[in-house]
Structure formats: structure tokens, C-alpha cells
Amino acid sequence: MNSEGASLGTASAKTAVVYADDYLNKLTGEKIERECKLLLEEGCTELVVDLSRTEIVNSIGVSILLGVIDTASNAGARVIFSEVNETTVELFDMLGVTRHADILDRAA
Amino acid sequence: MPHDKSLNIEDLQYANLTESAESRSKLVHTFGALAELGHEVASRSNFQDTIRTSLHLILGSLGIMRGGVARYSRFEHEFNMLAVRGLGESFPLSLELCYEDERQFLTNGLAPIEVAQAAVLPFFQVYDRTFSASRLELFVPLVIHEETVGAIFLGEKATGLPFSSYDREIICAMGRHIGSAIAQRNLLAEIERRSEENRRLYDDLRMTYSDTVKAFAAAIDFKDKYTEGHSVRVGKYSEIIASELGWNADEVEGAAVAGYLHDVGKLTVERKIINAPYRINAKESAELNKHPSVGFEILSPIHHPYTDVPLAAKYHHERIDGRGYPDGLYDRQIPYIAKVVNLADSFDAMTTDRPYRRRRPPHEVFDDLHRNSGRQFAPELVTAFMRGMLKELQGESKEKRFRKLLGREYMEAEGLASSLRNILNSMTPTSPLTRISVGQAHG
């Protein structure tokens, strides 16, 4: 998992991209959570979680992502998911994750 | 209009299909989480990790924004938080309960309680503000086998929808798993606590027993002013023999106790006979010779942690050639512990001053042991005893057990080590204790 600055969002927003691994479970999820917390502490206002390599998100992954969304929201930041596969989009919709975070380039 | 009607039906069919596909996905997702939770609880992971993972699984399976898992302490009457997510830093680590809360939770069993509708209970009144600030919606008492073991606190669903009956079923099923994990942990902690308590009690008991044994030994020795410390020394020599024989710690301790108590029967013998500064006559000797049997009678009703302590007292004057007393037993008829004590007792008798003679010099004592090996003493015990002393003389054992018992001067008698080696070699000819050093050949 890597994170890097990116030029997404509004001009004033400080955006960072976090890349998730192929399977978002406890181990990889906690790594993302730690990374996101650090970025938020550094003043990041837009967190892009890139799920292009992620095939499966399990319940632990969902819980961790909801935690990231909650922490970001409390810090006045927002979370955007990018490159999300169809199955994960369906899962996020079903569980209400997409009510609290946007999905970039979502198919209509 | 018919066209419109047809469209409505298609819409409905599509809606039904979508709904059924979503239900399937939901089922697959939640059952996956349930299976993972079952696996986590059954695994031997760290308890804290298990609880943290369980909380993730319950929140992630239903898309719940925040929550926590607590363990109930029945001694403190409080919930102690084990894992928390998103409840805020001000959420307390411990939440107290009153008797009424406990009763109600038990009656309620493992079913979710709506926090908003539970204001009648003192618990929800006391923590009303906290729960509101943390946006908690459900509280699940974890009642396992009619005992409250913990609780789950759950916030709002990410969908913004209320918890459905399906959600509640899933929460109950997961709660049962988490409750079982906590109950199992409690049981383990209780077993560990009791086992520690038992160990302490056992140690206390052993200490008391050991103190009593030593007090008895002192009482026995007090009666005989010429053999002061005899029982204690016999205990220590027996201990040395037992450890040289490779006995385990308990057996070595048992041998020491047998040595300490071997003369307990002397408590009933008249002091003037024991302390006679002359060779006692036949009548007095008969009186004195009753002490092994009397010792046996004194020690038999006591439940000793070590076997054969009374037998050691009864037979410590038996000889393997059958010429001992009280029963004139032969070799294998004599309990082994009695043979050990017999050797220790005889050695101490030879190496201490008596009213009618001085103690005998070391070479003479070891010659005596050697000569009587196979007559009075079991040969392997004699060799074990001598081996122990030789080790000390050669500096192979750090403990100076013999030196403490016999004195420095006695142990430094000239040629003692080589004399012991010779005796040992003659008694165990197949494994002579001769050191062969292979040096470089000189041309």
C-alpha cells in the first residue's frame, strides 16, 4: 500500500491517495487505517482510497473503511473511493458506505 | 393505459429481482462474517485480538458506523470495555450497573435493547448523555448460560435505516459467539486463579509440614544431649543419598523427612537410658530397641505427603543380612527408604562423639562402610553416598553439604579422596574411576 499526494478535488483541498491491496481484510485494512490517520493528522482534507487492485472486501474491511470515513468526517475531511469493482460497489451500496463516501468514476 | 399497466408489472418484476439479488448478497456477506467470527472465537488467538476482530465483524457485516464490546465484572458490577470503535474519546472505559440493571439484563437475555426506549433502567439514565453523544442505538447484554458476561454497544447503521428483525437475528447470533468467547476466557481465568490459590495453599501446607517435621526432629534430639542434631543430620545424609540415586525432588524431600523422623519413637524412651554415659545393659537395650516400632505407631496415623515415612522409622535398624531388629528382615524384605535411613543413621553414629567413645576417623568409617556393604548396607547406597562425598572433595559439586555436616578438618583428612576412589573402584570394578589422560607421545 502506498500513499501519495494527488491533484484531485478542489484547488484548496489537500488530497492524498491511498492504495489498497488485493484483499481488504484485517491486516491490510489496519495498514490503510493507520496510513489514513497519519494523512488526516497532516491536514489532508480529501482521502482517495484506490481500490483498483482490490478484488474482495470482507466485513472487517468494511468496518475499517467505515472507521476511516468516521475519523475523516470528524476531522472535517472526506473520503473518496476510486477504481472500485462492481461487486464492491454493490456491497458498499447495500451496507450504506456510499452514503458517507463518494465513488469516483462510478458507472451510471 | 394497458401499455402503462404492462410497464408497472415489469418494473415490479425488476424491483423484485433486484431486491432478491440484494438479499442474496446480504446473506452471503453476513454468513461469511458469521463463519469468520466462529473461526476467530475457536482459534487460539490472543483474547484481546479476538474481541477486536469480533467487533469489526459485527460492524462490517451490517454496516454499523460505531460500537464496542465490554466484559462484565460480577465482582465490580461493571462493564469494562474491551474494544471500541468510533465511540469517541470521552466514552468511559468502565460502566457501572446497579442490581436492578443486572436483574433486567438477565431477564432480557441475549436480545438487542433499543437505547432510546430503555430509559426506565437506571443504567440508561446514568449514561444517557454518554450514549447520546456516542450516537448509540442498540445495547446487547451478552447472557450466556444465565449469566451476564458482557455487552455489545452498537451505533447507527451506515444506511441510515433502522435495525431490521434480520439485523437483530444476526446481532444475536454474533453476540452468542462473542459471549461464549468471553465466558470461556472467564472460565480460564477462574481456573488459573484457583490453580494459583491451590498451589499457594499446597506450598503453605508443605511449609507447615516441613516446619512440624523439623520441630519434631528438634524435640527428638533435645532428649539426647550427646546426639544433638542427630535427626537433622540423618535427614540431610538421607537427602544426599537419595539425590545421588537420581530420585526426583519429591522423593529426595521424602527421604529427608524419613531421616528427620526416624528416631521419633525415642520420645517415649526414658531419658536416662538414652543419655546413659556407659554401654547400656540388656534390659535397657531392650527398652531402647522398642523405639523403631513405637516410631512407626506414632507416624502411621499421620497422612504424610511422602510414602514410607513410618516404614523408615520402623525398619531403620534392619540389616540386609537379616541380623537387624525389630523383625530381622532380609535385604528385599526391607523397605528401600529404611535402607537409606539406616546408612545415614549409621554414618552419623560413627562420625559423632558418643558418651562412651570419640568419633571415628574418616578412613576407618569408610572402610567400615565398605566392609559392611552387602551385610548391613545395600552396596549401591554405599557407593552413591561415597560418590556424593567424592564429588564434593574433587570440587565437582558446588554445595558443601558434607563439609557443613562433618566439619572442615574431618573432610580435609589426608588421602580421603584417593581412599574413596579406591573403595569405589573395588565396589564397581566395571567402571573404575581412574582418569586416563592421553598426552602427546614423546619421540
Side-chain angles (χ1 to χ4, degrees):
Chain A
M1 183 197 73
N2 297 310
S3 67
E4 58 185 42
S7 57
L8 290 166
T10 60
S12 60
K14 199 174 165 190
T15 307
V17 185
V18 178
Y19 294 90
D21 284 334
D22 55 348
Y23 183 30
L24 193 54
N25 57 11
K26 193 178 173 202
L27 195 67
T28 53
E30 281 177 349
K31 270 163 77 182
I32 289 183
E33 193 171 33
R34 276 196 299 275
E35 192 70 23
C36 290
K37 272 186 183 162
L38 279 174
L39 290 166
L40 289 169
E41 278 165 19
E42 286 168 11
C44 174
T45 53
E46 251 180 14
L47 267 177
V48 179
V49 180
D50 186 304
L51 299 172
S52 56
R53 281 183 290 170
T54 310
E55 288 174 22
I56 301 167
V57 179
N58 73 358
S59 293
I60 299 175
V62 171
S63 166
I64 287 169
L65 292 178
L66 285 174
V68 169
I69 292 169
D70 198 41
T71 311
S73 160
N74 290 337
R78 69 180 188 130
V79 175
I80 300 160
F81 296 110
S82 76
E83 306 280 339
V84 192
N85 69 31
E86 202 184 331
T87 316
T88 307
V89 170
E90 275 174 23
L91 182 72
F92 283 2
D93 279 340
M94 183 179 78
L95 296 173
V97 178
T98 43
R99 281 188 74 231
H100 304 271
D102 293 325
I103 294 186
L104 211 64
D105 306 326
R106 181 177 187 154
Chain B
M1 290 298 281
H3 180 71
D4 280 343
K5 200 176 178 182
S6 148
L7 262 180
N8 281 341
I9 289 165
E10 277 176 13
D11 280 350
L12 272 171
Q13 280 173 338
Y14 179 72
N16 282 342
L17 278 173
T18 313
E19 202 175 307
S20 124
E22 194 178 307
S23 297
R24 255 200 319 275
S25 304
K26 208 170 190 174
L27 268 173
V28 169
H29 180 70
T30 43
F31 276 99
L34 257 173
E36 211 167 326
L37 180 60
H39 177 75
E40 181 65 35
V41 167
S43 74
R44 291 183 179 191
S45 310
N46 170 290
F47 175 67
Q48 286 288 343
D49 268 356
T50 298
I51 297 299
R52 265 199 300 272
T53 306
S54 304
L55 179 60
H56 273 311
L57 286 167
I58 203 166
L59 297 181
S61 64
L62 297 172
I64 300 168
M65 292 299 291
R66 65 202 82 252
V69 176
R71 173 154 72 177
Y72 181 60
S73 162
R74 60 193 167 99
F75 301 110
E76 307 291 334
H77 301 280
E78 62 186 22
F79 286 121
N80 297 310
M81 299 308 294
L82 295 171
V84 171
R85 280 190 71 78
L87 295 184
E89 282 177 10
S90 58
F91 196 85
L93 293 175
S94 298
L95 298 99
E96 283 179 31
L97 268 80
C98 69
Y99 174 73
E100 178 58 16
D101 297 320
E102 288 176 0
R103 202 181 62 80
Q104 284 293 340
F105 292 157
L106 268 178
T107 313
N108 177 83
L110 212 159
I113 296 171
E114 297 269 356
V115 172
Q117 289 170 15
V120 286
L121 281 177
F123 180 66
F124 294 98
Q125 288 167 11
V126 171
Y127 295 105
D128 179 39
R129 280 190 185 177
T130 310
F131 293 168
S132 297
S134 302
R135 285 174 282 171
L136 286 181
E137 289 194 1
L138 284 186
F139 170 84
V140 191
L142 298 177
V143 179
I144 304 288
H145 299 310
E146 296 177 9
E147 191 187 338
T148 305
V149 296
I152 300 176
F153 301 79
L154 296 172
E156 78 278 18
K157 283 175 68 179
T159 54
L161 297 170
F163 285 93
S164 65
S165 55
Y166 169 80
D167 295 336
R168 286 162 196 268
E169 287 295 323
I170 295 294
I171 290 168
C172 273
M174 291 190 149
R176 202 163 287 120
H177 275 304
I178 299 171
S180 297
I182 297 175
Q184 199 179 336
R185 171 71 187 179
N186 288 349
L187 194 66
L188 204 68
E190 181 67 11
I191 290 169
E192 277 170 9
R193 193 185 64 78
R194 287 195 182 183
S195 143
E196 173 60 22
E197 199 177 296
N198 271 353
R199 199 191 55 74
R200 235 185 4 256
L201 281 172
Y202 180 67
D203 283 350
D204 285 353
L205 213 62
R206 274 177 81 130
M207 192 83 87
T208 309
Y209 176 81
S210 170
D211 288 348
T212 310
V213 165
K214 284 175 186 163
F216 257 100
I220 300 158
D221 292 346
F222 182 73
K223 204 160 182 189
D224 185 351
K225 67 179 179 181
Y226 294 106
T227 58
E228 195 183 353
H230 168 70
S231 301
V232 173
R233 287 192 299 276
V234 172
K236 293 195 186 296
Y237 290 133
S238 302
E239 191 180 324
I240 292 169
I241 298 167
S243 59
E244 280 302 322
L245 289 171
W247 291 5
N248 68 36
D250 270 359
E251 290 165 337
V252 170
E253 208 173 319
V257 169
Y260 280 126
L261 297 176
H262 76 287
D263 265 348
V264 71
K266 279 190 179 168
L267 286 171
T268 61
V269 180
E270 276 187 73
R271 195 184 282 262
K272 68 173 186 188
I273 298 176
I274 295 173
N275 288 329
Y278 51 84
R279 284 201 181 274
I280 52 176
N281 62 34
K283 194 182 164 198
E284 287 168 330
S285 184
E287 179 66 23
L288 183 64
N289 290 355
K290 283 182 191 164
H291 81 270
S293 302
V294 173
F296 178 76
E297 280 171 35
I298 292 172
L299 294 173
S300 289
I302 301 167
H303 181 75
H304 300 273
Y306 318 103
T307 51
D308 299 345
V309 171
L311 292 176
K314 185 169 182 178
Y315 297 118
H316 73 274
H317 281 297
E318 294 290 356
R319 297 164 52 102
I320 63 173
D321 59 9
R323 292 171 55 213
Y325 67 93
D327 294 340
L329 300 180
Y330 285 92
D331 195 4
R332 289 182 179 225
Q333 296 173 309
I334 307 167
Y336 207 70
I337 187 70
K339 293 181 189 175
V340 171
V341 174
N342 171 267
L343 174 60
D345 185 32
S346 303
F347 181 77
D348 187 63
M350 288 188 267
T351 53
T352 47
D353 291 335
R354 290 291 153 117
Y356 45 86
R357 61 156 175 81
R358 299 279 299 162
R359 73 172 175 176
R360 295 162 64 187
H363 295 285
E364 204 180 307
V365 170
F366 287 106
D367 283 345
D368 195 310
L369 293 185
H370 183 199
R371 205 171 41 255
N372 282 299
S373 173
R375 294 177 189 159
Q376 183 179 348
F377 312 117
E380 74 276 16
L381 297 187
V382 174
T383 52
F385 191 58
M386 289 187 186
R387 204 167 49 235
M389 180 173 268
L390 188 60
K391 276 187 199 167
E392 192 175 313
L393 287 168
Q394 291 176 340
E396 289 168 30
S397 97
K398 284 182 183 174
E399 288 175 281
K400 303 287 177 206
R401 298 177 295 184
F402 282 99
R403 185 178 287 244
K404 282 180 195 158
L405 294 163
L406 294 161
R408 191 170 62 90
E409 199 184 333
Y410 200 83
M411 287 291 284
E412 286 177 358
E414 204 182 329
L416 181 57
S418 89
S419 161
L420 279 172
R421 262 196 300 272
N422 289 338
I423 296 174
L424 281 167
N425 282 342
S426 70
M427 289 181 78
T428 52
T430 51
S431 58
L433 293 172
T434 310
R435 283 187 191 155
I436 302 169
S437 63
V438 181
Q440 221 173 1
H442 296 284

